Amino acid sequence: MQDCGPPVAREGDPEPGWHWLTAEEAASRKQFGCPICLPEDTRIATPDGERRITELVAGDPIWTRDEDGRRVAGHVVYAGSTPVAAGHTLVQISLADGRRVRASAGHPDADGAPIDRLETGMMMSGSMIVAIDPVPYHGARTHDVLPSGPSGVYWANGVAVGSSFGHTRAVDDRWTAK
């Protein structure tokens, strides 16, 4: 399958190459598109404390937002990962209060906009963005989760972000029905 172009790759990058994927990886790519996910060392907020994103599986507890924007306990509906090509770059968002989150450029913020559209001086997760930097990613895969509930929001390294798998209002029945 062909590697991903924008927003996973940056403008001006060479034409994406090709990699063998497992049948499961190819099905995930066809269903969800290219990896717009988080690095493997990302810590996710759960009612049981922070956990590495790579440890989470469907059914695990996770903090999410309800219809009124309140932080509530939910569960992981889907946890997935995608292989990345060599040279994959993440965007690192640094906040004034010291929190940092790294994600692929197309990963949604808590409002659903790709994080590569954020700018310094904007607010994110209750704090001002003080720096946005491209950083190389040397991992083999990026990861994401889909929390239950209507928002698709969860906390990565203490920063509210959206799921690249979309809002659960549209897809929760598809996942829980299986």
Side-chain angles (χ1 to χ4, degrees):
M1 184 168 272
Q2 188 168 24
D3 292 334
C4 300
V8 176
R10 293 168 295 166
E11 189 174 324
D13 282 354
E15 181 72 19
W18 297 81
H19 280 88
W20 287 103
L21 301 179
T22 67
E24 181 180 289
E25 291 167 346
S28 175
R29 176 78 62 85
K30 285 178 183 175
Q31 183 170 8
F32 297 114
C34 287
I36 50 174
C37 306
L38 306 168
E40 59 198 16
D41 61 351
T42 303
R43 307 290 296 177
I44 304 301
T46 79
D48 299 327
E50 288 193 346
R51 294 181 58 194
R52 283 177 64 112
I53 196 166
T54 56
E55 297 173 359
L56 296 174
V57 297
D60 283 349
I62 191 170
W63 288 117
T64 187
R65 279 194 189 152
D66 66 10
E67 298 88 359
D68 298 320
R70 293 181 302 231
R71 186 173 174 151
V72 296
H75 66 276
V76 174
V77 175
Y78 178 76
S81 69
T82 288
V84 297
H88 186 67
T89 300
L90 301 174
V91 175
Q92 180 172 276
I93 306 289
S94 300
L95 303 177
D97 62 10
R99 291 178 291 161
R100 287 192 177 126
V101 66
R102 294 176 298 141
S104 297
H107 193 87
D109 67 8
D111 295 324
I115 65 164
D116 69 346
R117 294 192 183 161
L118 298 173
E119 298 176 7
T120 58
M122 293 176 122
M123 297 297 288
M124 182 179 193
S125 197
S127 187
M128 184 182 300
I129 298 171
V130 295
I132 301 174
D133 300 297
V135 294
Y137 182 55
H138 302 291
R141 305 179 77 80
T142 57
H143 305 265
D144 203 3
V145 294
L146 177 65
S148 61
S151 70
V153 172
Y154 62 95
W155 282 262
N157 294 343
V159 178
V161 297
S163 175
S164 64
F165 298 126
H167 296 306
T168 57
R169 183 171 304 200
V171 297
D172 199 25
D173 291 340
R174 178 178 64 206
W175 292 109
T176 57
K178 295 186 182 216

